[in-house]
Amino acid sequence: MSQGPRSLSEDTQIGQQQPYETDLSQLPQLPPGIVIAAPSQTPRRRTAWPDDIDVIFEKDPACRNIIEALTYPGLWAIFYHRIAHALHKVHIPILPRLISQFARIITGGIEIHPGAQIGKRFFIDHGAGVVIGETAVIGDNVMLYHQVTLGATGWWRPSPGRKQKRHPSIEDDVTIGVGAAVLGPITIGRGSKIGAMALVLESVSPNSVVAAKPAELLMKGGAPLEKHEELTQGWNGEMDYQI
């Protein structure tokens, strides 16, 4: 039996059931060395632990249970900082600094000034050699890797005064890679990523990516190269340099 012509509404429904194919060649190319993880289809279920512990399970797949989480130096660094910061705000002298220095000793060199303001779900991975200055402001869900410095630009520059802001502001959902230095009263915008070993001296707009250039190859097979070649850490060929 022949069927009559389909109505416009029927054609629309069929079109909705068969979505258009995406031409991947038309998508914008990522900068070299940058990898964006595919979005998860199912949201992660939170644990029953407080934010400072739950964020460890969220961001470090190596942590499998609460006993392991309690061994993380970054957790103890933020625990002692919360105490030191509360005392600092009510202008109790000396004691906040003693607490921060004690925390530095037991955490392997995580030094957070009691005056620094740190939001919720702050996570330091590995946690060796991190420095956060007095007037630094850190938002929620920020992650630092080891050897990150949130500092000032140095004593040799004209002093803005003790009451002026000298350290950076890090907005929500920012990730800062290993060895990066963010210096001065600048702002790293929400959702940005700072790559390993980057030196950041200017403000970064939200949802930006900053990556340092990898080392150059000067000799190959024992012979010096006439022209320096970048190491294939992700800038040529397959990319392996990630934030």
Side-chain angles (χ1 to χ4, degrees):
M1 179 183 295
S2 62
Q3 297 180 350
R6 293 192 299 265
S7 65
L8 180 60
S9 61
E10 291 175 338
D11 289 336
T12 302
Q13 292 175 358
I14 294 175
Q16 291 175 347
Q17 294 172 356
Q18 299 176 350
Y20 295 107
E21 294 184 358
T22 302
D23 185 0
L24 298 179
S25 64
Q26 301 301 318
L27 295 177
Q29 297 295 318
L30 293 174
I34 306 304
V35 176
I36 298 179
S40 175
Q41 295 182 352
T42 57
R44 168 187 169 272
R45 178 178 295 181
R46 288 198 50 174
T47 67
W49 300 105
D51 281 341
D52 290 334
I53 296 177
D54 179 74
V55 71
I56 298 175
F57 291 108
E58 176 188 354
K59 296 188 175 182
D60 190 354
C63 185
R64 296 177 176 82
N65 55 63
I66 185 60
I67 302 300
E68 291 184 1
L70 293 177
T71 66
Y72 278 56
L75 173 63
W76 293 105
I78 192 63
F79 171 77
Y80 283 109
H81 174 72
R82 304 285 191 208
I83 299 173
H85 183 65
L87 297 175
H88 178 82
K89 288 199 300 182
V90 296
H91 307 291
I92 293 179
I94 302 177
L95 183 57
R97 290 304 298 268
L98 291 177
I99 294 174
S100 69
Q101 292 303 304
F102 173 75
R104 176 183 178 180
I105 294 172
I106 68 169
T107 60
I110 301 178
E111 181 175 343
I112 307 176
H113 192 284
Q117 302 176 41
I118 300 179
K120 300 177 181 179
R121 302 184 69 78
F122 177 63
F123 178 49
I124 302 175
D125 196 10
H126 300 294
V130 169
V131 176
I132 301 175
E134 177 185 14
T135 60
V137 178
I138 300 175
D140 297 337
N141 200 39
V142 171
M143 179 176 179
L144 309 183
Y145 286 88
H146 53 290
Q147 298 179 340
V148 167
T149 298
L150 305 181
T153 52
W155 57 265
W156 58 88
R157 296 184 181 275
S159 175
R162 291 185 178 274
K163 299 299 182 182
Q164 300 297 318
K165 184 168 173 57
R166 309 183 307 280
H167 303 91
S169 295
I170 311 298
E171 295 185 347
D172 298 347
D173 305 313
V174 169
T175 300
I176 303 181
V178 55
V182 184
L183 306 180
I186 62 177
T187 299
I188 305 301
R190 180 188 182 101
S192 294
K193 291 180 173 58
I194 308 299
M197 308 307 294
L199 173 61
V200 185
L201 300 174
E202 299 179 355
S203 293
V204 174
S205 59
N207 301 309
S208 298
V209 174
V210 178
K213 185 178 180 181
E216 287 186 289
L217 185 63
L218 304 182
M219 297 185 64
K220 190 173 184 179
L225 297 173
E226 294 182 3
K227 183 178 180 181
H228 297 171
E229 297 181 3
E230 293 175 351
L231 291 174
T232 56
Q233 296 180 6
W235 298 90
N236 299 311
E238 295 185 2
M239 294 180 292
D240 191 35
Y241 173 68
Q242 301 180 16
I243 291 178

